[in-house]
């Protein structure tokens, strides 16, 4: 399905009439409600659209259960702009003022919960960390590509989570010090080495951007490999476990699938050098294999 | 119906720690959470975890600082438990691989924080909460704990005896956000609420959109008292336009606050002659707003937090995350210019009344983390004390719910013993606004006692509520109602409070309740209906906002974070007591219970609190 070709269906001031006709055609109580609601709210975008300070958003809409949303479409929203406004702010405004059925995940508003990765003007970005003023209008907001759309901007994350959990994403060691209050030492250098990899917020922007993952459903993907890197490079785990981890990431759908396109690194909102981490693991693997010959 | 030994509601720090502990004790444990665990708001905590780990420090000293910080409204057994358990529980995190910042010798780093007499705040950059959350979730994955994520818990399944202390909790009712299915979850041993704070009662808050006080509101309506709700922490350094948190770690590392005249006002205006910027949070927040109110704010709104003198290397090493936040959310380069900051709602000191083992007065119902009130923080929480609370009391609640004997609690719960009736002069009726439809009422399980039947009855009640909300054709939308409450709370129940404003807030909350009688859900879909979820959350926000405001109106003194224009002194003679609110047939009942200042070996005598 190409979402780009869907004919935008407008619900805003520019063609109120045609939108109304569409709604009249549908007769469920919900459609009636939506129509009334739009009637009430149309005034606010009308007023604000005349002022210069509005942003025009085109937002992807789809709901398998609702008659006029079963065919994916784009809705237009004109949101009054204030300085510093993010794409997430604009979506919240549109939902709270214009259409309460507009659905997207979001929580912390500060780029740490990783809920609101969307495909914004053709690129994976976090809604909360993307300033409207950095974008060209109309701002096109779509769900993350290569993942199944559940509704509007919500995608099914299960497969991404499965990949994350396939790399034994937890610390393991056989080298804990004696004594309950004794910490395991870690050099500052080693902490520094894994630091970037520990910043991952599981937003799936990288995974969505990766062509290899799109073509090979079993490919672990950049986020999961980065998670494996975080542990493989942690000196506290010890050499035996490192070998164990190398075996996991060297599997058929592991690091060797990466073709070094850097798309994951480009879109990562936490600036994690994902491709470099994957490359480093490949080098590690080569070294290891030579050693065992 | 789903069935497990222990159910944990919420999967932030406290919930994850509770689940791990219950699992380690051999219980069949499941988590039911409206967000996938890694989305939880624990991840936004920045500064660190207080624990007396080093020579020269002691749990006693940590306890003393915490008691002083609480303005003597914390309970000694709770505080001592926190401070004694924290070191071991922090080392456990280290053993689970948490990437703490390190010293040259490879041991975990600690830094100074506000109100602490020793630099005991253990940290991982300025994103300690993120690393804590992910480390705990890793352990949950490792153990194969069942997680029902994006399942929204709507209500508790509790029996309906007249005295809440005779009631028991047998599970929860939740709905699957993805499909709209409403289902019962039975808990054979216990339900642990770990649902976080109610920051969404305010519109300028560091809290996530998900922090709607669900667990507090559900426990309250089931009969558990909410304790000390008027004590709301306003963090002194949040970004003015969004409320995004700038860690206290900035001041801990040496960051300085300036007013518009370039004065280092914490010293120069005498707010805290010894500790300056590192005074306790309530003190710094009031100082900033006083500066602004007296015309020395910048753009009449905020003050400056300057960290440039720390140097790029140190900033990048210890506070890098702050640079990103200031850049992304305020457009300011912290290396080149001072950052604008103002106070913002940050933390609810009060919450669900529990004892040191996390138990409430309802058998089988536990609470831990920000949603609970043990009480460790009293009238003001010290920076760096929220995260140890999560791990210490999350763990204890998990162990206890799984059947581990932790010894008898010293704190008692429920309305019994040495209690005092309270009175409050409210300008409006309080509590539930006339119930027009049975379906919006709580599904009190009437005379049922069989656990399965209690859960099933609760499920039926929630199904009816969903149908009612979904079938209604018009009315008022939740966003409008919520915004009304948030505005009123931010205006009148903020850092500075007076009787008139608090009464205005109560009127607005009442109006919101009446509006809520007409609330409807416009989105007709069963698939991922956030309209429905937020509509249910909004009811919780209203209930919690009312408890905060009521407690504040009744408390005629100035203690910790609770400042009253008419009452400028702490009044130990009359107010050294906990505010308790019980939901009594739909109406809040106000009462008080004494503070326990007797520790294991010593009694904490209230002293004048100065920094």
């Amino acid at each position: 399905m190409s979402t780009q070709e869907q004919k935008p269906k407008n619900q805003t001031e520019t063609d109120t009439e045609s939108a109304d006709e569409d709604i009249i055609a549908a007769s469920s109580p919900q459609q009636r409600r939506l129509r009334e609601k739009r009637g009430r709210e149309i005034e606010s975008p009308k007023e604000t659209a005349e002022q210069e300070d509005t942003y025009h958003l085109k937002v992807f809409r789809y709901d398998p259960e609702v008659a006029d949303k079963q065919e994916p479409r784009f809705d237009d929203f004109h949101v009054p702009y204030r300085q510093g406004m993010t794409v997430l702010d604009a979506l919240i405004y549109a939902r709270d003022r214009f259409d309460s059925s507009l659905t997207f995940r979001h929580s912390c508003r500060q780029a740490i919960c990783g809920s609101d990765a969307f495909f914004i003007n053709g690129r994976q970005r976090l809604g909360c960390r993307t300033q409207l003023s950095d974008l060209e209008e109309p701002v096109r907001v779509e769900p993350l590509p290569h993942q199944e759309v559940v509704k509007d901007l919500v995608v099914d994350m299960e497969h991404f989570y499965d990949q994350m959990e396939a790399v034994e994403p937890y610390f393991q060691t056989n080298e804990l010090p004696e004594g309950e209050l004794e910490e395991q030492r870690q050099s500052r250098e080693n902490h520094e080495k894994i630091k970037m990899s520990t910043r991952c917020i599981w937003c799936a922007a990288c995974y969505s951007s990766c062509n290899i993952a799109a073509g090979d459903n079993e490919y672990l993907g950049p986020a999961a490999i980065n998670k494996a890197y975080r542990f493989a490079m942690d000196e506290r785990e010890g050499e035996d476990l490192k070998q164990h981890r190398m075996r996991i990431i060297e599997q058929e759908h592991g690091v060797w699938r990466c073709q070094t396109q850097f798309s994951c690194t480009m879109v990562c909102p936490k600036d994690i050098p994902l491709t470099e981490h994957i490359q480093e693991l490949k080098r590690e693997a080569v070294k290891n294999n030579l050693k065992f010959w | 119906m789903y069935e497990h030994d222990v159910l944990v509601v919420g999967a932030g720090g406290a919930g994850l720690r509770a689940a791990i502990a219950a699992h380690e004790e051999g219980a069949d444990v499941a988590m039911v959470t409206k967000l996938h665990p890694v989305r939880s708001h624990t991840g936004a905590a920045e500064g660190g975890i207080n624990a007396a780990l080093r020579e020269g420090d002691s749990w006693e000293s940590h306890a003393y600082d915490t008691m002083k910080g609480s303005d003597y409204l914390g309970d000694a057994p709770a505080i001592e438990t926190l401070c004694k358990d924290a070191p071991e529980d922090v080392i456990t995190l280290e053993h689970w691989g948490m990437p703490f910042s390190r010293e040259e010798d490879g041991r975990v780093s600690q830094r100074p924080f506000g109100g602490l007499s020793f630099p005991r705040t253990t940290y991982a950059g300025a994103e300690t909460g993120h690393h804590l959350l992910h480390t705990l979730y890793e352990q949950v994955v490792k153990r194969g704990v069942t997680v029902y994520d994006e399942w929204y818990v709507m209500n508790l399944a509790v029996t309906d005896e007249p005295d809440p202390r005779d009631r028991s909790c047998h599970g929860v009712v939740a709905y699957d956000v993805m499909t709209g299915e409403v289902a019962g979850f039975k808990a054979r041993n216990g339900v642990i609420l770990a649902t976080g704070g109610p920051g969404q009662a305010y519109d300028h808050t560091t809290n996530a959109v998900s922090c709607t006080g669900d667990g507090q509101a559900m426990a309250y309506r089931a009969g558990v008292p909410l304790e000390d709700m008027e004590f709301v922490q306003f963090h002194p350094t949040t970004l003015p336009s969004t409320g995004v948190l700038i860690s206290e770690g900035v001041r801990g590392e040496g960051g300085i606050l300036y007013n518009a005249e370039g004065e280092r006002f914490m010293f120069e205006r005498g707010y805290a002659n010894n500790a300056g910027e590192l005074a306790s949070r309530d003190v710094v927040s009031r100082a900033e707003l006083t500066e602004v109110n007296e015309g020395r704010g910048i753009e009449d709104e905020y003050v400056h937090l300057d960290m440039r003198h720390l140097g790029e290397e140190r900033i990048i090493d210890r506070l890098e995350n702050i640079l990103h936040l200031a850049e992304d959310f305020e457009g300011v380069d912290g290396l080149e210019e001072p950052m604008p900051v103002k106070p913002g709602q940050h933390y609810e000191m009060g919450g669900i009344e529990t004892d040191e083992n996390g138990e409430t007065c309802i058998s089988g119902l536990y609470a831990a983390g920000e949603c609970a009130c043990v009480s460790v923080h009293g009238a003001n929480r010290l920076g760096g004390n929220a995260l140890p609370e999560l791990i210490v009391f999350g763990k204890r609640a998990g162990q206890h719910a799984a059947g581990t004997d932790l010894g008898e609690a010293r704190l008692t719960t429920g309305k019994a013993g040495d209690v005092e009736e309270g009175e409050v002069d409210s300008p409006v009726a309080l509590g539930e606004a006339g119930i027009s439809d049975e379906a919006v009422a709580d599904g009190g399980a009437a005379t049922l006692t069989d656990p399965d039947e209690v859960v099933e009855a609760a499920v039926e009640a929630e199904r009816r509520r969903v149908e009612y909300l979904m079938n209604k054709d018009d009315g008022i939308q939740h966003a409008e109602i919520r915004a009304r409450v948030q505005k009123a709370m931010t205006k009148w129940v903020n850092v500075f409070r007076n009787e008139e404003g608090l009464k205005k807030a109560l009127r607005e909350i009442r109006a919101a309740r009446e509006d809520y009688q007409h609330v409807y859900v416009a989105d007709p879909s069963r698939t991922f209906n956030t309209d429905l979820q937020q509509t249910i959350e909004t009811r919780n926000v209203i209930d919690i906002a009312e408890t905060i405001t009521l407690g504040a109106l009744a408390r005629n003194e100035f203690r910790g974070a609770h400042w009253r224009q008419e009452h400028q002194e702490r009044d130990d003679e009359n107010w050294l007591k906990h505010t308790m609110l019980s939901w009594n047939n739909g109406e809040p009942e106000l009462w008080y219970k004494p503070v326990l200042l007797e520790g294991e070996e010593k009694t904490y005598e209230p002293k004048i609190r100065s920094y």
Side-chain angles (χ1 to χ4, degrees):
Chain A
M1 180 193 73
S2 164
T3 58
Q4 310 293 329
E5 288 165 13
Q6 294 307 320
K7 196 173 141 222
K9 189 184 261 182
N10 205 311
Q11 66 161 72
T12 58
E13 73 295 342
T14 49
D15 52 2
T16 308
E17 281 174 25
S18 67
D20 269 358
E21 275 163 28
D22 286 346
I23 293 162
I24 289 162
S27 59
S28 75
Q30 169 56 13
Q31 299 308 329
R32 229 177 32 244
R33 259 186 270 158
L34 277 178
R35 182 185 147 213
E36 287 163 13
K37 192 157 70 72
R38 283 173 192 178
R40 276 204 308 278
E41 284 155 358
I42 234 99
E43 287 166 21
S44 45
K46 210 175 208 169
E47 279 167 26
T48 47
E50 282 162 11
Q51 300 158 10
E52 277 184 13
D53 265 4
T54 64
Y55 257 78
H56 180 188
L57 271 74
K58 290 179 104 58
V59 184
F60 179 89
R61 306 301 303 273
Y62 164 76
D63 187 326
E65 276 187 72
V66 176
D68 69 344
K69 284 172 76 182
Q70 282 168 348
E71 273 299 308
R73 65 170 202 237
F74 281 85
D75 277 354
D76 296 78
F77 296 99
H78 294 263
V79 173
Y81 179 72
R82 57 165 177 75
Q83 212 200 334
M85 198 173 204
T86 63
V87 171
L88 178 64
D89 293 332
L91 289 171
I92 291 174
Y93 189 95
R95 180 196 64 201
D96 288 353
R97 309 293 180 97
F98 304 150
D99 180 355
S100 65
S101 72
L102 178 60
T103 304
F104 46 93
R105 288 192 182 97
H106 66 300
S107 187
C108 75
R109 310 162 295 140
Q110 58 183 82
I112 196 70
C113 76
S115 305
D116 68 337
F118 308 126
F119 198 55
I120 301 168
N121 279 4
R123 183 183 157 163
Q124 288 81 359
R125 311 172 203 249
L126 292 184
C128 63
R129 227 194 121 215
T130 305
Q131 296 282 322
L132 284 175
S133 57
D134 291 341
L135 300 170
E136 275 186 35
E137 281 189 88
V139 175
R140 214 176 165 84
V141 190
E142 298 167 70
L144 286 181
H146 305 136
Q147 272 142 299
E148 199 181 323
V149 179
V150 174
K151 174 178 172 181
D152 294 350
L153 302 174
V154 175
V155 294
D156 188 343
M157 296 284 285
E158 277 316 306
H159 185 62
F160 173 77
Y161 293 145
D162 286 347
Q163 300 305 78
M164 293 301 283
E165 291 176 12
V167 297
E168 300 186 9
Y170 36 80
F171 186 78
Q172 307 176 73
T173 185
N174 301 319
E175 299 175 6
L176 280 185
E178 299 280 321
E180 276 182 348
L181 282 174
E182 200 51 48
E183 64 236 74
Q184 213 181 352
R185 307 281 173 116
Q186 181 185 27
S187 68
R188 286 175 72 105
E189 293 69 30
N190 188 249
H191 175 258
E192 205 56 36
K193 181 163 188 64
I194 63 164
K195 190 165 97 177
M196 291 308 286
S197 67
T198 62
R199 293 214 173 137
C200 175
I201 55 173
W202 296 42
C203 69
C206 60
Y207 191 73
S208 164
S209 79
C210 176
N211 280 331
I212 315 303
D216 172 7
N217 209 31
E218 288 175 68
Y219 175 46
L220 290 171
I225 295 176
N226 176 69
K227 189 80 178 171
Y229 174 97
R230 176 254 173 277
F231 293 111
M233 295 299 168
D234 191 322
E235 66 189 9
R236 293 173 295 170
E237 283 211 337
E239 200 48 41
D240 290 354
L241 277 154
K242 186 163 182 175
Q243 295 310 323
H244 173 65
R245 293 206 178 272
M246 293 310 293
R247 282 192 290 276
I248 296 174
I249 54 181
E250 267 202 274
Q251 56 160 297
E252 191 186 346
H253 302 277
V255 286
W256 298 109
R257 292 273 156 158
C258 170
Q259 294 176 6
T260 336
Q261 295 173 350
F262 286 92
S263 60
C264 54
T265 304
M266 300 240 308
V267 300
C268 177
K270 291 304 199 184
D271 301 325
I272 302 170
L274 292 156
T275 314
E276 268 176 51
H277 287 170
I278 298 172
Q279 291 306 101
E280 198 179 333
L281 287 173
K282 286 183 190 170
R283 287 195 295 272
E284 253 336 276
V286 172
K287 264 195 291 183
N288 264 331
N289 294 342
L290 287 176
K291 198 161 62 188
F292 285 113
W293 274 1
Chain B
M1 192 187 297
Y2 301 89
E3 195 174 328
H4 296 275
D5 293 338
V6 176
L7 287 174
V8 181
V9 182
L16 292 166
R17 191 64 190 83
I20 294 166
H23 186 269
E24 284 186 334
E25 298 299 320
D28 160 23
V29 53
M31 313 192 72
V32 191
T33 167
K34 67 180 179 180
L35 301 172
H36 182 279
V38 302
R39 316 292 171 212
S40 306
H41 200 57
T42 296
E46 293 169 7
I49 313 176
N50 295 338
L53 293 176
R54 299 286 175 246
E55 211 168 297
D57 198 5
S58 65
W59 72 261
E60 289 91 345
S61 163
H62 184 190
Y64 175 82
D65 292 344
T66 302
M67 182 59 92
K68 178 182 169 189
S70 82
D71 220 350
Y72 302 92
L73 203 68
D75 287 317
I79 290 175
E80 294 190 344
T81 302
L82 174 87
C83 302
K84 276 188 201 167
D85 286 8
E88 187 187 324
D89 289 349
V90 167
I91 296 302
T92 300
L93 294 173
E94 201 285 327
H95 289 176
W96 288 341
M98 180 161 162
F100 285 110
S101 295
R102 299 282 165 168
E103 292 302 306
E104 283 302 337
D105 65 3
R107 299 197 303 170
V108 299
S109 298
Q110 294 197 302
R111 66 178 159 212
F113 241 49
L116 297 184
S117 55
F118 190 93
R120 70 170 70 89
T121 308
T122 319
Y123 62 96
E127 44 198 20
T128 311
H130 165 76
H131 295 303
L132 173 65
L133 180 69
H134 282 258
T135 301
L136 289 174
Y137 181 57
E138 286 159 17
Q139 292 300 312
V140 159
V141 171
K142 182 179 180 185
R143 288 165 171 76
V145 171
T146 308
V147 180
Y148 300 92
D149 69 296
E150 294 184 338
W151 274 83
Y152 178 59
V153 173
M154 308 168 70
N155 215 344
L156 306 173
V158 174
T159 57
D160 201 25
E161 288 82 357
D163 186 337
R165 292 176 304 147
D166 298 329
R167 294 177 193 165
S168 41
C169 179
H170 295 296
V172 304
V173 185
Y175 101 96
D176 182 358
V177 179
M178 195 69 92
T179 65
E181 177 199 353
V182 176
F185 288 76
K186 185 179 147 188
R188 287 182 288 258
N189 292 23
V191 171
I192 302 171
L193 295 171
T195 52
Q200 286 297 317
Y202 290 82
D203 63 9
H204 188 86
T205 175
T206 64
N207 283 195
V209 175
S210 311
C211 299
T212 49
D214 299 333
Q216 293 177 339
M218 289 188 291
Y220 179 47
R221 291 193 299 259
V224 183
L226 295 186
E227 179 174 349
D228 293 334
M229 292 297 286
E230 65 271 32
F231 295 100
V232 177
Q233 177 160 87
F234 296 86
H235 196 288
T237 57
T238 72
L239 296 176
S241 54
T242 53
V244 165
L245 175 68
I246 296 299
S247 170
E248 185 162 314
V250 175
R251 283 170 289 136
E253 298 291 348
I256 296 174
L257 290 166
Y258 293 106
N259 63 18
E261 292 166 18
E263 293 170 320
R264 189 175 182 180
F265 57 87
M266 289 308 298
F267 289 107
E268 291 184 50
R269 296 270 168 185
Y271 295 107
N273 290 323
N274 296 316
E277 281 83 3
L278 281 179
S280 168
R281 288 178 177 174
D282 55 330
V283 175
V284 182
S285 280
R286 278 191 297 271
E288 290 177 3
L289 280 187
T290 303
E291 290 300 296
V292 172
N293 291 344
E294 292 181 359
R296 295 185 297 275
I298 297 139
E299 293 183 36
D300 272 339
E301 192 192 358
Y302 55 85
V303 297
H304 275 146
L305 174 61
D306 198 345
M307 61 175 183
R308 290 174 294 181
H309 57 284
L310 302 180
E312 185 169 345
E313 194 181 330
R314 182 147 164 214
I315 292 173
I316 302 252
D317 184 36
R318 303 184 186 192
L319 299 164
E320 186 185 341
N321 184 42
I322 301 304
L323 291 176
H324 298 306
L325 293 173
E327 176 68 40
D328 292 342
F329 299 103
E330 203 68 48
V332 168
D333 180 352
L335 292 176
E336 296 291 329
E337 53 200 321
M339 299 175 283
V341 291
K342 74 173 194 183
Q345 193 281 345
H346 182 56
Y347 187 86
E348 170 61 61
M349 267 75 75
I352 302 164
E353 183 205 38
T354 71
D355 63 24
E356 311 93 289
N357 299 331
E359 263 198 305
T360 71
C361 68
I362 292 182
S363 143
L365 184 61
Y366 295 78
E370 187 176 344
C371 72
C373 181
V374 192
S375 133
V376 168
H377 312 302
N380 173 68
R381 175 172 73 75
L382 291 182
N385 261 355
L387 298 185
E389 182 190 15
L390 303 185
I391 53 174
V392 167
F393 292 103
K395 175 182 168 186
R396 294 178 72 88
Q399 289 176 332
H400 200 272
T404 309
D405 182 8
L406 297 176
E408 202 179 329
R410 284 188 59 210
L411 296 165
T412 56
T413 54
K415 192 178 174 192
D418 189 8
V419 304
E420 180 192 327
E421 298 298 332
E423 251 180 74
V424 63
D425 172 28
S426 171
V428 285
L430 299 167
E432 200 70 84
I435 296 150
S436 55
D437 187 285
E438 184 215 8
V440 290
D442 267 321
T447 52
L448 300 174
T449 51
D450 175 69
D452 287 334
E453 288 177 20
V454 172
V455 177
E456 275 160 24
V459 170
E460 274 318 305
E462 292 310 308
R463 283 198 181 127
R464 285 199 301 274
R465 181 149 73 116
V466 169
E467 290 314 311
Y468 173 80
L469 290 169
M470 296 285 288
N471 288 333
K472 230 168 144 179
D473 245 1
D474 57 11
I476 304 174
Q477 293 203 292
H478 71 82
E480 199 180 308
I481 302 172
R482 196 185 285 200
R484 182 171 197 167
V485 173
Q486 291 174 333
K487 240 181 231 155
M489 294 297 286
T490 301
K491 189 158 182 193
W492 292 308
V493 199
N494 211 296
V495 174
F496 294 127
R497 302 166 172 179
N498 62 39
E499 182 179 335
E500 195 194 336
L502 292 167
K503 286 184 171 172
K504 279 185 185 158
L506 281 178
R507 284 200 186 90
E508 282 294 292
I509 292 165
R510 187 69 197 167
R513 274 198 193 283
E514 275 155 17
D515 283 353
Y516 196 82
Q517 294 299 108
H518 307 289
V519 78
Y520 83 114
V521 176
D523 187 347
S525 180
R526 301 277 159 178
T527 306
F528 224 94
N529 192 331
T530 51
D531 194 0
L532 173 64
Q533 184 183 329
Q534 292 183 313
T535 298
I536 298 169
E537 288 170 346
T538 295
R539 179 196 189 201
N540 297 334
V541 168
I542 297 172
D543 280 343
I544 296 305
E546 187 179 79
T547 62
I548 295 169
T549 313
L550 265 185
L553 179 60
R555 187 172 282 271
N556 288 328
E557 67 159 348
F558 161 31
R559 182 184 298 270
H562 174 66
W563 183 97
R564 281 287 302 266
Q565 192 173 33
E566 309 87 348
H567 309 280
Q568 288 288 300
E569 299 277 327
R570 188 176 83 195
D571 177 359
D572 288 336
E573 200 166 315
N574 295 303
W575 288 100
L576 194 59
K577 59 191 180 189
H578 295 293
T579 304
M580 310 298 291
L581 279 162
S582 295
W583 186 252
N584 204 344
N585 290 324
E587 259 182 64
E589 179 192 349
L590 176 68
W591 52 283
Y592 294 93
K593 71 169 188 181
V595 178
L596 234 70
L597 295 176
E598 293 80 32
E600 220 164 77
E601 280 161 20
K602 70 168 185 182
T603 295
Y604 300 81
E605 291 298 336
K607 291 184 189 150
I608 293 175
R609 184 164 159 261
S610 68
Y611 287 98

